Amino acid sequence: SVQWSEERFMDIKKKLAPFLRSLKYPMKKGVDWIPISALGGGNILDPIGKTCPWYAGPPFLTLLDGLTG
């Protein structure tokens, strides 16, 4: 468990971004980085709140509901 570490989140983001760029994915418009816990359901439906104080964005499903095609 990474205990909602911002450092670990940024490390993962740093490693995934070059991979997504190599696939020609539009990084500036096409990626929202969201910390989640699929195992515990954290930040999937409900905001994570004080558990992850460095993240102020929406939970995953709220973000998905707001996507437009």
Side-chain angles (χ1 to χ4, degrees), residues 8-9 17 20 32 58:
R8 180 65 178 136
F9 179 81
L20 293 173
D32 289 297

Side-chain angles (χ1 to χ4, degrees), residues 19-44:
F19 171 71
L20 293 173
R21 277 190 212 96
S22 76
L23 299 174
K24 307 293 187 223
Y25 201 82
M27 295 299 294
K28 292 189 179 186
K29 292 196 281 183
V31 177
D32 289 297
W33 301 94
I34 305 171
I36 63 168
S37 171
L39 182 61
N43 212 27
I44 301 289

Side-chain angles (χ1 to χ4, degrees), residues 3-68:
Q3 304 298 317
W4 298 96
S5 164
E6 182 177 13
E7 181 180 345
R8 180 65 178 136
F9 179 81
M10 297 306 287
D11 184 48
I12 292 168
K13 183 177 171 180
K14 180 180 171 184
K15 290 177 180 176
L16 279 175
F19 171 71
L20 293 173
R21 277 190 212 96
S22 76
L23 299 174
K24 307 293 187 223
Y25 201 82
M27 295 299 294
K28 292 189 179 186
K29 292 196 281 183
V31 177
D32 289 297
W33 301 94
I34 305 171
I36 63 168
S37 171
L39 182 61
N43 212 27
I44 301 289
L45 178 60
D46 298 316
I48 198 62
K50 293 180 182 180
T51 303
C52 185
W54 52 268
Y55 178 73
F60 181 67
L61 291 179
T62 300
L63 184 82
L64 283 181
D65 284 344
L67 291 179
T68 60

